[in-house]
Amino acid sequence: MIVYKGLTKDLTAVCGKGIKKYEPGEIYEEEQSKTRRTGHHCAEYILDCMNWYKLDGENRFFTVEASGSIDEEESCSMVVCTKMKLLEELTVKEIAGAAMLYMIRHPLRDWKRHCGNVVAAEGRAEVTAGLSIAIARGPAPK
């Protein structure tokens, strides 16, 4: 399953066991996957990563291959897996493209988000500064 993960600039993430360092191309394994408790946490919808790692130039975002035992959370696109591999780092343009692809592939899921300088909204989406993403959808998006 291809999903997304946000990390700090030095490729670390805070997890239940402390701080974990990741490297692209490496395979990481956990014994169990339980949402919000254990396993490798990622998201089907790239914009959900912004809840934990802001798009501010200090964090990095990757496509990830999630495998093994996979748990999903009902209230968001969070995925927890026992096996994970960072595939490639995404640019801001690729993050926006991944978000729009999610919206197309899952038209009935909630896609609206407002996480700091990242906005996905119906009708009108506006951001004001620097590193940001604005996605508007609807009959006459602005």
Side-chain angles (χ1 to χ4, degrees):
M1 171 180 216
I2 301 299
V3 291
Y4 304 95
K5 183 155 185 74
L7 298 164
T8 63
K9 194 175 232 175
D10 65 352
L11 300 180
T12 59
V14 176
C15 60
K17 297 176 183 174
I19 295 174
K20 184 161 184 106
K21 176 116 169 96
Y22 293 93
E23 292 297 329
E26 295 292 320
I27 297 172
Y28 297 91
E29 294 190 56
E30 290 281 336
E31 288 183 31
Q32 295 180 319
S33 63
K34 186 70 174 164
T35 306
R36 306 227 186 240
R37 287 184 124 194
T38 184
H40 300 289
H41 292 71
C42 357
E44 270 189 281
Y45 186 29
I46 184 78
L47 298 188
D48 280 341
C49 294
M50 309 299 162
N51 290 321
W52 296 275
Y53 298 93
K54 301 297 179 207
L55 183 67
D56 59 5
E58 295 299 314
N59 296 308
R60 298 164 69 180
F61 300 90
F62 288 81
T63 52
V64 168
E65 181 181 354
S67 58
S69 174
I70 296 176
D71 291 329
E72 298 178 60
E73 190 165 300
E74 288 182 34
S75 63
C76 67
S77 72
M78 185 184 290
V79 171
V80 184
C81 59
T82 54
K83 220 171 167 183
M84 185 183 80
K85 179 180 181 180
L86 271 69
L87 299 175
E88 71 177 282
E89 188 167 2
L90 300 171
T91 65
V92 174
K93 193 174 191 177
E94 290 168 330
I95 291 169
M100 290 184 274
L101 252 163
Y102 177 87
M103 295 170 191
I104 291 166
R105 289 181 177 152
H106 306 287
L108 301 179
R109 292 186 187 173
D110 179 26
W111 52 268
K112 297 174 196 154
R113 297 292 184 276
H114 188 231
C115 304
N117 54 346
V118 175
V119 177
E122 192 168 345
R124 182 180 184 88
E126 188 174 347
V127 291
T128 56
L131 194 59
S132 55
I133 295 173
I135 300 170
R137 290 185 65 196
K142 294 182 180 186

